[in-house]
Amino acid sequence: MIQNVGNQLRRGLASVFSSRTSRKSASRAEDKDGIMADGEDYRNPTEVQMSQLVLPCHTNQRDELSIGQLLKWIDTTACLSAERHAGCPCVTASMDDIYFEHTISVGQVVNIKAKVNRAFNSSMEVGIQVTSEDMCSEKKWVVCKALATFVAQREFTKVKLKQITPRTEEEKTEHSVAAERRRMRLFYADTIEDLLANCVIQDAPSCADLDSRDCSHVVPAESTRVESVELVLPPHANHQGNAFGGQIMAWMENVATIAASRLCRALPTLKAIEMFHFRGPSQVGDRLVFKAIVNNAFKNSMEVGVCVEAYRQEAEAHRRHINSAFMTFVVLDADNQPRMLPWIRPQPGDGERRYREASARRKIRLDRRYIVSCKQTEMPLSVPWDPSNQVYLSYNNVSSLKMLVAKDNWVLSSEINQVRLYTLEDDKFLSFHMEMLVQVDAAQAFLLLSDLLRRPEWDKHYWRVELVQQVDEDDAIYHVISPALSADPKPQDFVILASRRKPCDNGDPYVIALRSVTLPTHQETKDYRRGETLCSGFCIWREGDQLTKVSYYNQATPGLLNYVTTNVAGLSSEFLTTFKACEQFLLDNRNDLAPSLQTL
Ligand code: COA
Ligand code: ADP
């Protein structure tokens, strides 16, 4: 019996590893740009491209391509990509934050590329890249990147989508991280609401506090208010008779620009649009009312809010709130530098509330941009933990690990005792990962390994662990004491954010991501050398009933490098011993969880 199980396990191992090897060699046949080894260009089957020559009729008050027009093109390209995958009509459900890096002039060409990153149930994430090109030189610029969610509908009923199979490394990364972005999107409204409720924001400053701005020039917010109506006609609608998302965004940008120019009495430039959600459809014949006002003016930028309501002529009193968006504008001088803006005086009541909320949103926006969009190599190892950035740090934690896992240049360094050790050398980091099959249920392995308080039971690098803060059901911060690893005899301590995720669908692994953060309550002390981990953690795949592939990943920071290379070179067997102890821990505790937890 025991021998049978052993044979089964070995057969399992062989098939898992051979399928893994063939997956790896298949992806190795493609280079980074997805060019197939046989010379045939690989093109994502959902990819749609649009190229537009910018003509005077597409421009705004500054003779540049109007962002409204660009949003229409973006939405159309993305919708066609979504529909190519879905094979039926799709509607725009949401658009993530967009930062515009460059303006585009008349005579330049705009190139838009969209492809479906991942399909969920009825919704898909579409990634969009916009570049501009000078026709007279070879210059090209990235204008912006955008992520939109489309929902597939047939006769207003949701459609179950087929899955996307990613092929290139870039597709695999986007596919994997899309699940994490979806999670963030669906919680976005609640997250912002919670943060706004909990943020301590100062009221409008008095003139004495006003940096170097001219106190004599204060604009009442009320004077920037705009209201405008549009009738949805057939040219504004898609094939289902719904107003196009891009058209609605273009109308929103139009009123927001008017509000912004009323504050600065100049020609404003739109820099960013905050993530927004199309709450409900509007059809041909609907009247759409757009209302905009400047919520707050900072030193060099202002936030304009726009809200959209729809009604039928026969039922004007019954207005549906279909959208709200927040846009950031600047005013550029002749050298393209942002000009200082006048101070704004909010209206009492709602105006003051929006003024305070705009300040909070600005802080959240800056955190998000820094944490979510910053290249990993440009981020400090430990980022301060703060209620306003916790969602983004948790996102960053999980997506960094998923990106590491999706890399296709992992090299098998050794295989001892059915434990495989892989390494990956990037420009800046040496990473390793260890992999084994364990006869335990995947959900149980996930529960056991995600509880860092139990890690000292199998990992001698974890002497003591204290739970500092249970942030939510899936995120917790721990303080870990570890033995010295380098010449410095002091023990080390780490403050670690552990973020765990269950699979989004069958092919997904369970993920436990770990990264360092800093906490004011747990500053570095003289007793310990502060250690840092940038990206490490576990991926756990269900390979069968009671058969789980457990992989541990680590992107080695300088403090750990010597230890890692000693192990990789085979001069130490500590990695192996520790991983085997992990296996024993999982086997010893395979039955000790309540059955209810095993339905994870
Ligand atoms: N961001 C991203 N996706 C979202 C979302 C948001 N803010 N809100 C809902 N979704 C996704 C859900 O995750 C779900 O995806 P799944 O099926 O893959 O799990 C899907 O949308 C349906 O969600 P559900 O809650 O069942 O439906 P809903 O009643 O909220 O309807 C819309 C969602 C988008 C269909 C609906 O709000 C709508 O019709 N909006 C207007 C669309 C429109 O007219 N756009 C502009 C013109 S094309
Ligand atoms: P909130 O008022 O909580 O910000 P809404 O969705 O009601 O959220 O509105 C979004 C934004 O639209 C507001 O922040 C404001 O900038 C703008 N707005 C809302 N109502 C009006 C209005 N009556 N007139 C002008 N602008 C408005």
Side-chain angles (χ1 to χ4, degrees):
M1 170 72 183
I2 292 173
Q3 203 177 356
N4 265 350
V5 171
N7 285 341
Q8 232 181 355
L9 180 58
R10 263 190 295 281
R11 273 200 301 277
L13 260 173
S15 70
V16 169
F17 284 150
S18 65
S19 68
R20 182 175 181 105
T21 317
S22 58
R23 272 207 306 273
K24 271 181 182 285
S25 43
S27 58
R28 233 178 263 129
E30 299 157 8
D31 74 9
K32 287 262 182 298
D33 301 318
I35 309 296
M36 302 300 287
D38 60 7
E40 195 188 310
D41 277 5
Y42 166 70
R43 181 164 168 173
N44 184 306
T46 68
E47 184 184 297
V48 170
Q49 297 189 15
M50 181 189 273
S51 288
Q52 295 279 356
L53 176 58
V54 178
L55 301 172
C57 60
H58 301 132
T59 59
N60 61 14
Q61 66 285 358
R62 288 175 55 90
D63 287 333
E64 290 155 352
L65 172 64
S66 103
I67 298 287
Q69 178 60 63
L70 179 60
L71 290 170
K72 283 196 218 174
W73 288 335
I74 288 178
D75 185 60
T76 308
T77 318
C79 182
L80 294 180
S81 168
E83 292 189 349
R84 175 174 281 180
H85 179 67
C88 67
C90 295
V91 294
T92 323
S94 70
M95 184 72 82
D96 289 6
D97 306 12
I98 311 183
Y99 298 92
F100 299 97
E101 311 284 349
H102 278 280
T103 53
I104 307 170
S105 315
V106 173
Q108 290 181 341
V109 174
V110 181
N111 297 305
I112 305 173
K113 238 188 226 184
K115 67 175 170 58
V116 178
N117 290 334
R118 183 161 185 160
F120 301 100
N121 301 309
S122 66
S123 69
M124 288 153 276
E125 180 189 279
V126 181
I128 306 126
Q129 193 175 28
V130 182
T131 53
S132 66
E133 175 189 345
D134 193 293
M135 296 236 282
C136 306
S137 66
E138 285 188 1
K139 282 194 188 142
K140 284 187 180 171
W141 301 264
V142 173
V143 176
C144 66
K145 288 184 178 163
L147 290 162
T149 304
F150 283 82
V151 173
Q153 291 183 336
R154 212 172 260 127
E155 276 142 23
F156 302 102
T157 312
K158 282 187 288 178
V159 170
K160 174 79 187 146
L161 292 165
K162 60 179 183 292
Q163 299 297 299
I164 290 274
T165 310
R167 288 183 59 187
T168 64
E169 179 182 319
E170 190 261 340
E171 286 173 13
K172 284 178 194 158
T173 306
E174 292 298 341
H175 184 267
S176 180
V177 177
E180 192 57 20
R181 286 193 288 250
R182 174 178 188 253
R183 184 178 191 274
M184 194 160 69
R185 232 168 255 141
L186 295 180
F187 290 123
Y188 181 77
D190 291 344
T191 309
I192 294 283
E193 210 170 288
D194 280 359
L195 291 175
L196 293 181
N198 297 324
C199 259
V200 182
I201 314 153
Q202 276 143 24
D203 285 330
S206 70
C207 200
D209 303 327
L210 287 175
D211 30 63
S212 42
R213 281 191 270 179
D214 176 7
C215 296
S216 63
H217 186 34
V218 178
V219 179
E222 196 49 30
S223 68
T224 70
R225 187 186 293 275
V226 183
E227 180 172 322
S228 178
V229 69
E230 298 283 353
L231 173 62
V232 182
L233 296 170
H236 304 134
N238 62 16
H239 26 309
Q240 300 201 86
N242 272 345
F244 252 122
Q247 178 62 67
I248 297 176
M249 291 190 276
W251 281 328
M252 291 169 90
E253 190 258 345
N254 181 46
V255 287
T257 306
I258 298 173
S261 60
R262 285 185 180 161
L263 178 98
C264 57
R265 292 293 162 202
L267 307 176
T269 299
L270 180 58
K271 284 304 282 181
I273 306 180
E274 184 128 330
M275 180 188 295
F276 64 91
H277 173 207
F278 288 91
R279 294 156 173 253
S282 56
Q283 279 96 28
V284 169
D286 274 351
R287 277 72 174 154
L288 302 188
V289 179
F290 296 81
K291 295 177 189 166
I293 195 164
V294 177
N295 286 335
N296 201 334
F298 309 104
K299 195 170 173 186
N300 294 314
S301 69
M302 66 182 108
E303 182 197 274
V304 182
V306 192
C307 121
V308 191
E309 292 168 339
Y311 66 90
R312 309 291 302 174
Q313 191 190 9
E314 59 279 12
E316 185 166 355
H318 181 64
R319 291 191 176 194
R320 296 152 6 235
H321 178 194
I322 60 163
N323 212 320
S324 284
F326 300 98
M327 305 189 187
T328 303
F329 287 86
V330 293
V331 178
L332 299 174
D333 65 16
D335 300 322
N336 255 358
Q337 294 307 308
R339 243 176 56 183
M340 210 178 293
L341 295 175
W343 188 36
I344 193 159
R345 185 181 320 112
Q347 281 274 97
D350 267 351
E352 284 171 340
R353 171 182 60 81
R354 289 176 184 144
Y355 179 95
R356 286 194 299 273
E357 290 180 352
S359 296
R361 270 191 296 269
R362 181 165 180 248
K363 151 120 182 64
I364 295 164
R365 214 162 22 236
L366 291 171
D367 281 344
R368 188 167 58 225
R369 182 147 200 222
Y370 177 65
I371 296 169
V372 174
S373 328
C374 202
K375 285 204 189 92
Q376 207 186 359
T377 46
E378 289 164 6
M379 257 184 76
L381 292 183
S382 295
V383 174
W385 176 262
D386 174 305
S388 73
N389 68 15
Q390 65 186 42
V391 178
Y392 310 113
L393 269 177
S394 164
Y395 164 84
N396 173 281
N397 195 14
V398 176
S399 58
S400 302
L401 181 61
K402 287 186 163 189
M403 284 183 207
L404 188 62
V405 174
K407 297 259 184 210
D408 66 1
N409 42 347
W410 285 101
V411 175
L412 178 62
S413 287
S414 68
E415 184 180 355
I416 303 169
N417 253 343
Q418 294 172 341
V419 172
R420 292 188 158 201
L421 172 64
Y422 293 87
T423 52
L424 180 139
E425 287 175 56
D426 269 352
D427 306 346
K428 297 216 169 149
F429 297 104
L430 169 68
S431 305
F432 70 92
H433 96 253
M434 304 187 70
E435 193 170 270
M436 64 181 168
L437 281 179
V438 189
Q439 282 199 297
V440 60
D441 180 68
Q444 196 160 343
F446 173 65
L447 283 173
L448 288 165
L449 294 176
S450 59
D451 183 358
L452 255 58
L453 293 175
R454 298 197 66 176
R455 190 145 162 182
E457 290 180 41
W458 58 271
D459 188 350
K460 67 184 177 54
H461 303 102
Y462 275 55
W463 275 351
R464 280 198 315 278
V465 181
E466 170 209 0
L467 174 65
V468 178
Q469 195 181 331
Q470 185 68 48
V471 181
D472 57 34
E473 199 192 327
D474 292 326
D475 296 270
I477 302 179
Y478 296 90
H479 185 217
V480 177
I481 310 288
S482 297
L485 274 185
S486 59
D488 187 341
K490 262 196 217 173
Q492 298 189 85
D493 73 338
F494 296 82
V495 179
I496 291 179
L497 167 67
S499 309
R500 60 177 204 171
R501 299 288 185 269
K502 292 167 209 160
C504 183
D505 58 40
N506 282 342
D508 265 359
Y510 291 88
V511 172
I512 304 161
L514 309 171
R515 68 153 298 138
S516 289
V517 290
T518 57
L519 274 183
T521 51
H522 286 70
Q523 307 275 15
E524 191 171 350
T525 63
K526 59 178 175 25
D527 300 332
Y528 301 107
R529 200 166 59 80
R530 178 53 59 94
E532 289 182 313
T533 170
L534 177 60
C535 173
S536 60
F538 292 92
C539 274
I540 299 165
W541 284 268
R542 186 185 296 281
E543 296 290 348
D545 186 26
Q546 298 292 319
L547 188 63
T548 296
K549 185 169 75 186
V550 177
S551 288
Y552 173 73
Y553 288 81
N554 195 311
Q555 190 163 47
T557 46
L560 200 67
L561 199 61
N562 184 33
Y563 179 61
V564 174
T565 47
T566 312
N567 271 273
V568 169
L571 302 172
S572 160
S573 58
E574 269 196 52
F575 275 7
L576 185 66
T577 316
T578 309
F579 214 46
K580 279 292 184 192
C582 174
E583 180 184 20
Q584 199 54 53
F585 165 75
L586 294 175
L587 291 173
D588 291 347
N589 294 284
R590 52 189 289 174
N591 295 321
D592 72 347
L593 295 167
S596 60
L597 293 178
Q598 301 197 8
T599 56
L600 269 174

